[in-house]
Amino acid sequence: MGRRFRDGRGRLVVPGEAGQRGAVVTVPLEIAASYRARTKGLLGRDSIEGAMLLTPAGSVHTFGMRMPIDVAYLDRHLTVLSVRTMRPGRLGRPRLRSRHVLEAEAGVMAGWGVRVGVVVAVEAEANSGHSA
C-alpha cells in the first residue's frame, strides 16, 4: 500500500545489516509533501541536518542548489530503487517505479546504510501526521 505524508518533521529509520543486531540508524527528517514544499526542497540551503523526503516524487533536479546531494529513489513501499550523488545544476532522470525521493548531503547515505534493496521507514511526528 502506498502512503501519504504531510509537510512536517519526522525520522528516517534505516534497518541495520543482517547480522548486526540493533544497528538501526535513525536520522532527522523533513517531509515535503505539498507542491510548494517539494518545489522549494533544498534550494538556497548550504546544509541539511538529516534528510528531506519529497513525496510524491519520481525525479529531482539540482538547479539553484549550493551543494552536492545524495538522492535515493524509493518505491511505494519505501524500498530503495537507486542512490545517486548529484552535483548542483543537474537534472536527474525519472525512475520508473519511484514514488518518493530522499535527499541529503552528499556522501552521508552510504554511512546510514541507504542502498538499493533496503526498505526504510518514515515516522512522522504526531503534529506532522500522515495517513495510510
Side-chain angles (χ1 to χ4, degrees):
M1 266 221 260
R3 295 177 184 169
R4 290 180 184 258
F5 297 97
R6 295 193 184 121
D7 291 350
R9 297 193 166 277
R11 286 169 298 289
L12 174 70
V13 181
V14 183
E17 301 226 18
Q20 293 182 345
R21 287 188 306 253
V24 174
V25 176
T26 304
V27 178
L29 185 68
E30 293 179 42
I31 300 169
S34 67
Y35 176 78
R36 183 176 183 162
R38 288 192 318 268
T39 303
K40 182 168 181 356
L42 296 177
L43 294 178
R45 295 199 198 182
D46 294 316
S47 65
I48 179 175
E49 179 188 341
M52 177 175 281
L53 178 71
L54 304 174
T55 179
S59 66
V60 295
H61 69 82
T62 56
F63 299 112
M65 288 207 182
R66 298 178 180 172
M67 61 183 177
I69 59 170
D70 279 353
V71 177
Y73 297 88
L74 311 176
D75 71 8
R76 55 189 258 178
H77 304 291
L78 302 180
T79 303
V80 179
L81 301 172
S82 174
V83 181
R84 298 278 183 266
T85 298
M86 294 177 64
R87 295 193 316 252
R90 302 283 186 239
L91 179 62
R93 286 191 314 218
R95 301 286 182 239
L96 192 58
R97 295 183 348 262
S98 179
R99 293 293 175 269
H100 316 280
V101 176
L102 270 176
E103 296 181 339
E105 287 188 20
V108 299
M109 286 193 186
W112 296 341
V114 175
R115 60 180 61 74
V116 174
V118 169
V119 180
V120 300
V122 171
E123 297 176 350
E125 288 184 359
N127 60 355
S128 298
H130 89 268
S131 53

